[in-house]
Amino acid sequence: MSAQVKDTHLAILEAGRKEFMEYGYEGASLRRIAREASVTTGAIYGYFPSKEALFDALTGDAADGLMEKYRQVHDEFAGLSPSEQAASLDHITDETIPWMINYIYDRFDIFKLFFCKNSAGSCDSYFAQLVKIEEKSSWDFINAMKESGHEVMDIDDTLIHILSRSFFQHILEFVAHDVPREKALSYSLVLGTFQHAGWKKIMGL
């Protein structure tokens, strides 16, 4: 990639970031992006085939990275023995939540775009994937505890979904309301501790 092509690519990305942040995905105009980047609208299509592709270039890597790391954490938890899973509830919050909050806050503008300025339904679809990972992990944990002889409370799919969704709603609120990183970390650790204490009660631990 030549220096001129690289500079134009970066100029379009920066102009796109400003446009999406101000107008959101639906209201963003490629014409305004082109004007801000000092290129023609046609030139933008030489770099990005659509407005969606431009938005994805700005947010996709960060969002994919969060998803992959979250899946990895749950896969590692599932690989523990039932006794190790039960014991880890006392410290998993302090280990898992900070990396997630810091990952997001290290890329705050990107996640502000992704969570708050995305196309209709896209953020919901993304959170649905995260919730699905959480739900599977919850059921795996429940089954492991039952097999270990713990008296697990009766719980159904709807309640699991509500519990799983609530954590991500907190994160969305932090970003949407520009909660400072330190407070987001503090709040999320308290909320995580609260939730895991509830899980211990549910699991009969």
Side-chain angles (χ1 to χ4, degrees):
M1 185 183 291
S2 70
Q4 182 178 357
V5 170
K6 184 178 180 180
D7 288 346
T8 301
H9 182 263
L10 292 174
I12 293 170
L13 284 172
E14 177 58 19
R17 185 192 66 77
K18 292 179 180 177
E19 179 75 7
F20 290 127
M21 192 67 81
E22 182 171 356
Y23 296 100
Y25 180 86
E26 305 297 345
S29 163
L30 287 180
R31 274 208 251 357
R32 284 194 298 262
I33 292 171
R35 187 162 57 247
E36 175 70 20
S38 300
V39 298
T40 64
T41 304
I44 291 179
Y45 287 113
Y47 292 85
F48 306 100
S50 64
K51 185 166 71 171
E52 180 182 2
L54 175 54
F55 192 89
D56 184 65
L58 288 163
T59 63
D61 286 347
D64 290 346
L66 179 62
M67 180 77 69
E68 182 55 36
K69 177 63 175 176
Y70 196 71
R71 183 178 288 108
Q72 179 185 336
V73 165
H74 283 282
D75 286 345
E76 290 173 356
F77 182 79
L80 299 175
S81 68
S83 60
E84 289 172 327
Q85 289 182 15
S88 72
L89 283 183
D90 290 329
H91 58 77
I92 194 170
T93 294
D94 292 338
E95 294 177 357
T96 302
I97 288 180
W99 78 253
M100 191 169 190
I101 296 298
N102 283 320
Y103 182 94
I104 291 169
Y105 274 73
D106 286 345
R107 304 158 180 81
F108 191 84
D109 284 352
I110 296 174
F111 280 100
K112 184 80 168 184
L113 281 176
F114 190 75
F115 290 162
C116 307
K117 307 291 183 175
N118 213 330
S119 58
S122 293
C123 190
D124 281 343
S125 176
Y126 180 80
F127 277 114
Q129 293 179 64
L130 287 170
V131 169
K132 187 175 181 180
I133 294 170
E134 183 71 23
E135 288 174 342
K136 182 181 183 304
S137 181
S138 297
W139 280 119
D140 288 345
F141 186 36
I142 287 170
N143 290 331
M145 293 303 98
K146 285 182 176 179
E147 290 171 6
S148 298
H150 292 280
E151 295 184 11
V152 180
M153 289 184 183
D154 193 21
I155 192 167
D156 62 16
D157 288 336
T158 300
L159 186 52
I160 287 287
H161 177 76
I162 292 170
L163 291 171
S164 299
R165 179 91 184 176
S166 64
F167 175 68
F168 300 109
Q169 188 62 43
H170 299 150
I171 291 177
L172 178 59
E173 293 294 324
F174 296 157
V175 175
H177 296 289
D178 298 315
V179 174
R181 183 195 297 250
E182 293 75 16
K183 285 190 174 181
L185 281 166
S186 176
Y187 293 165
S188 60
L189 284 169
V190 170
L191 290 164
T193 299
F194 179 82
Q195 188 176 52
H196 283 142
W199 274 116
K200 290 183 74 172
K201 183 70 174 180
I202 289 169
M203 300 296 178
L205 299 175

